């Protein structure tokens, strides 16, 4: 993976990450109309298209910010595939019956397929992690929140009134609990 | 996994293990798949939580900005066309007809006069306040720029760039600020550097450099610079239009 050449469209990913309004607007001007057309032609409307686009951009932002997303294909192909996938999932949720979409086999761009799949997996994992986090006890949730918000463990310990060593141990046990919850979920095992 | 294993995961991730223990840990990672899988999940969750809480504000700022841009885009691009096809249209009809007459007038007028900077420099309001720490200065720069107080904007950009010498975004807006102020030497200098760099502003810099020349009425220079704008740049079409007027 590391050997692959980074596409010049990486500037869009970097722009999102920097919350650069110029770049975000350029993405809307250049790439969004295609998505809007696609969704409108496939049982959707403007409002749906707007949501799909926004959610997709947030996912890309999160992945870039957390995992150093490196674009190895044109942004257009990658972005369109992600929006399309999201929209198809939405349709599936809405109607139980199979939706038929005029699909042109697979995209010619395998690189884009691969990258889009990676991002989709990332997104599903995020959703799962969030869900499992809510299943932790309040004590663990509060401790983890404090740990990651206040970076120094000494301060965290002071903040919640325990010793430093205990706070540190507790942190690892709480993430441990979360690890167990995640590993035990059937969704997680499908994602791998 | 035992409780102790999670404690070791944490110690390993925060570099708190001794050299021998690191070796032992890595051997275990290599030999036990179960251990490795659990560790990878632990690590992923750790980075998930870190992102969720440490970058909470940045993420929120991004989402708000995105929401605004999205709203602006969909309203200006689609709403007029699609949602207003109702009876109110009759009332608009006359207004639209009238504006078309005015537009045609303006258009023909523009055809015969030299193009001017202000017709092309349609930069949007900017949003700089993303990162936590230096937000006060950034806020000042942002609101000064957006309200057209370029003297104040310049002073603030200058200070900000002292703290963050390589920030292309700040450099870019500082250049625009100085075009507005008529400090062409400074603006053009910054833009020339940006266009040779690798930042996201590379192509935008060429476009604004051309606009700066346009404002200085250096039409030939402007034309030459416009020719350098690549096809996939977002100002390409506007650049072509401007070129046809200058030619």
């Amino acid at each position: 993976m590391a050997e692959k050449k980074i596409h010049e469209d990486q500037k869009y990913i970097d722009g999102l990450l920097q919350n650069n309004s110029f770049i975000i607007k350029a993405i809307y001007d250049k790439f969004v109309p295609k998505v809007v057309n696609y969704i409108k032609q496939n049982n959707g409307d403007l409002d749906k298209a707007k949501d799909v686009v926004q959610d997709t951009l947030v996912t890309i932002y999160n992945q870039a910010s957390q995992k150093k997303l490196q674009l190895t294909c044109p942004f257009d192909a990658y972005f369109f595939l992600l929006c399309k996938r999201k929209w198809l999932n939405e349709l599936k949720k809405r109607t139980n019956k199979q939706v038929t979409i005029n699909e042109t086999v697979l995209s010619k761009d395998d690189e884009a397929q691969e990258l889009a799949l990676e991002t989709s997996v990332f997104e599903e994992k995020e959703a799962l992690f969030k869900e499992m986090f809510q299943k932790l006890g309040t004590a663990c949730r509060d401790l983890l929140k404090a740990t990651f918000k206040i970076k120094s463990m000494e301060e965290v310990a002071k903040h919640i009134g325990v010793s430093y060593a205990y706070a540190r141990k507790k942190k690892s046990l709480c993430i441990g609990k979360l690890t167990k919850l995640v590993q035990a979920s059937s969704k997680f095992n499908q994602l791998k | 996994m035992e409780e102790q294993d999670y404690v070791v995961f944490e110690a390993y991730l925060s570099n708190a293990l001794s050299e021998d223990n690191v070796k032992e840990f890595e051997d275990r990672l290599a030999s036990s798949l179960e251990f490795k899988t659990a560790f990878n999940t632990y690590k992923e969750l750790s980075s998930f939580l870190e992102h969720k809480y440490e970058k909470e504000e940045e993420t929120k700022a991004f989402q708000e900005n995105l929401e605004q841009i999205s709203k602006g885009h969909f309203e200006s691009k689609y709403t007029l066309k699609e949602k207003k096809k109702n009876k109110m249209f009759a009332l608009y009809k006359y207004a639209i007809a009238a504006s078309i007459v005015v537009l045609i007038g303006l258009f023909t007028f523009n055809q015969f006069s030299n193009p001017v900077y202000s017709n092309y420099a349609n930069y949007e309001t900017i949003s700089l306040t993303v990162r936590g720490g230096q937000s006060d200065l950034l806020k000042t720069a942002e609101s000064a720029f957006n309200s057209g107080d370029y003297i104040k904007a310049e002073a603030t950009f200058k200070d900000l760039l002292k703290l963050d010498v390589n920030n292309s975004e700040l450099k870019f807006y500082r250049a625009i600020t100085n075009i507005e102020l008529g400090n062409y030497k400074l603006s053009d200098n910054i833009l020339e550097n940006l266009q040779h760099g690798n930042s996201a502003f590379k192509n935008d810099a060429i476009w604004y450099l051309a606009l700066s020349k346009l404002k200085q009425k250096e039409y030939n220079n402007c034309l030459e610079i416009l020719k350098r704008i690549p096809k996939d740049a977002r100002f390409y079409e506007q650049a072509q239009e401007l070129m046809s007027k200058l030619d």
Side-chain angles (χ1 to χ4, degrees):
Chain A
M1 276 303 274
E3 296 300 312
K4 283 178 188 165
K5 200 173 168 286
I6 297 188
H7 196 276
E8 58 170 329
D9 283 356
Q10 178 72 26
K11 64 184 174 197
Y12 295 112
I13 307 283
D14 296 344
L16 284 172
L17 201 50
Q18 294 159 1
N19 194 5
N20 177 331
S21 302
F22 267 78
I23 301 278
I24 301 175
K25 277 181 189 147
I27 291 176
Y28 270 90
D29 288 340
K30 274 176 116 166
F31 309 117
V32 168
K34 187 168 153 191
V35 176
V36 172
N37 277 338
Y38 178 81
I39 291 181
K40 282 205 304 199
Q41 279 163 15
N42 289 290
N43 309 314
D45 57 22
L46 266 184
D47 286 338
K48 295 283 173 207
K50 190 172 165 220
D51 292 346
V52 166
V53 165
Q54 230 166 302
D55 288 350
T56 304
L57 289 174
V58 169
T59 302
I60 298 178
Y61 172 88
N62 281 336
Q63 197 191 356
S65 143
Q66 218 180 111
K67 298 218 155 171
K68 303 268 171 298
L69 174 61
Q70 294 189 323
L71 202 63
T72 46
C73 64
F75 185 81
D76 190 14
Y78 167 69
F79 178 64
F80 183 69
L81 274 172
L82 278 177
C83 290
K84 192 165 114 178
R85 203 183 287 254
K86 195 180 272 295
W87 177 238
L88 294 184
N89 281 337
E90 185 98 343
L91 283 181
K92 261 190 227 162
K93 259 189 251 164
R94 242 203 283 169
T95 52
N96 273 328
K97 57 181 181 188
Q98 204 60 38
V99 205
T100 41
I101 301 283
N102 38 340
E103 184 99 58
T104 40
V105 203
L106 278 176
S107 153
K108 297 134 235 158
D109 200 335
D110 290 343
E111 197 70 56
Q113 286 280 355
E114 202 177 300
L115 210 57
L117 182 67
E118 223 174 273
T119 303
S120 301
V121 170
F122 171 84
E123 188 184 14
E124 283 170 48
K125 268 193 191 166
E126 282 248 313
L128 176 69
F129 290 175
K130 267 184 204 154
E131 188 189 326
M132 292 303 148
F133 183 73
Q134 292 309 321
K135 288 195 180 168
L136 280 179
T138 334
C140 260
R141 281 210 309 263
D142 288 348
L143 178 105
L144 288 177
K145 258 184 222 170
T147 321
F148 286 102
K149 270 199 169 163
I150 316 167
K151 280 186 199 158
S152 121
M153 279 308 280
E154 278 99 343
E155 267 182 57
V156 173
K158 222 193 278 169
H159 185 73
I160 51 177
V162 295
S163 78
Y164 169 67
Y166 181 78
R168 220 182 121 126
K169 185 175 173 199
K170 206 63 194 137
K171 176 191 175 190
S172 49
L173 295 186
C174 285
I175 305 182
K177 245 186 224 166
L178 190 55
T179 307
K180 274 193 185 150
L181 281 172
V182 167
Q183 283 189 316
S185 76
S186 56
K187 263 190 224 157
F188 182 70
N189 296 308
Q190 283 163 15
L191 277 173
K192 275 192 295 184
Chain B
M1 292 293 111
E2 302 299 317
E3 284 197 346
Q4 187 50 35
D5 293 326
Y6 296 121
V7 175
V8 179
F9 287 170
E10 186 60 39
Y12 179 76
L13 286 175
S14 49
N15 294 320
L17 286 182
S18 70
E19 220 172 284
D20 287 347
N21 288 339
V22 167
K23 173 107 196 6
E24 195 186 310
F25 182 84
E26 284 169 354
D27 285 347
R28 216 176 144 194
L29 276 185
S31 61
S32 161
L33 185 65
E34 196 198 346
F35 190 72
K36 192 179 161 187
T37 319
F39 174 68
N40 283 340
T41 308
Y42 185 99
K43 201 166 83 177
E44 243 178 302
L45 281 164
S46 223
S47 101
F48 161 75
L49 290 168
E50 189 179 321
H51 180 260
K52 183 172 156 74
Y53 290 112
E54 261 177 37
K55 305 227 167 127
E56 204 175 14
E57 275 171 39
E58 281 176 39
T59 308
K60 210 174 134 219
F62 170 75
Q63 285 175 332
E64 283 169 4
N65 193 23
L66 183 65
E67 171 77 47
Q68 264 191 346
I69 294 175
S70 166
K71 213 173 139 206
H73 176 86
F74 278 89
E75 273 172 9
S76 69
K77 264 232 153 71
Y78 304 101
T79 317
L80 275 177
K81 268 189 267 167
E82 300 210 350
K83 286 195 177 161
K84 298 206 171 159
K85 282 180 190 160
N86 50 28
K87 53 186 172 187
M88 283 298 279
F89 184 71
L91 290 175
Y92 284 127
K93 227 163 32 183
Y94 301 103
I96 290 171
S99 3
I100 289 173
V101 172
V102 173
L103 279 176
I104 292 174
L106 279 176
F107 183 71
T108 23
F109 176 74
N110 271 337
Q111 286 290 301
F112 295 110
S113 61
N114 272 329
V116 291
Y117 170 79
S118 55
N119 285 348
Y120 291 91
N122 299 318
Y123 42 82
E124 304 87 344
T125 55
I126 62 171
S127 168
L128 300 166
T129 41
V130 197
R131 302 163 202 91
Q134 354 122 325
S135 64
D136 273 356
L137 264 183
L138 281 175
K139 234 177 246 169
T140 315
E142 183 184 301
S143 61
F145 184 93
N146 289 339
S147 63
D149 183 353
Y150 296 112
I151 295 175
K152 193 167 169 196
E154 161 58 14
T156 326
F157 279 130
K158 201 172 158 188
D159 286 345
L160 278 166
L161 277 161
K162 274 182 205 152
L163 302 169
D164 194 358
V165 218
N166 291 316
N167 189 324
S168 315
E169 188 179 15
L170 293 176
K171 283 188 201 165
F172 179 67
Y173 295 129
R174 187 180 180 202
I176 296 185
T177 304
N178 280 288
I179 299 179
E180 295 289 349
L181 288 170
N183 300 331
Y184 303 116
K185 215 169 157 187
L186 180 60
S187 63
D188 295 5
N189 208 341
I190 299 175
L191 292 171
E192 296 216 5
N193 282 325
L194 280 176
Q195 64 161 324
H196 294 304
N198 261 325
S199 72
F201 299 97
K202 198 177 155 161
N203 291 334
D204 292 1
I206 309 181
W207 170 242
Y208 274 94
L209 186 59
L211 291 186
S212 169
K213 300 296 180 199
L214 179 67
K215 200 173 170 210
Q216 296 169 64
K217 300 203 165 65
E218 293 179 19
Y219 299 120
N220 283 334
N221 269 340
C222 175
L223 203 57
E224 286 311 307
I225 294 165
L226 287 171
K227 286 182 189 158
R228 298 210 303 264
I229 295 183
K231 268 204 173 132
D232 64 342
R234 62 198 183 99
F235 291 114
Y236 180 75
E237 273 167 31
Q238 273 174 282
Q240 294 301 306
E241 188 206 317
L242 179 55
M243 274 164 80
S244 69
K245 285 188 185 169
L246 287 170
D247 237 348

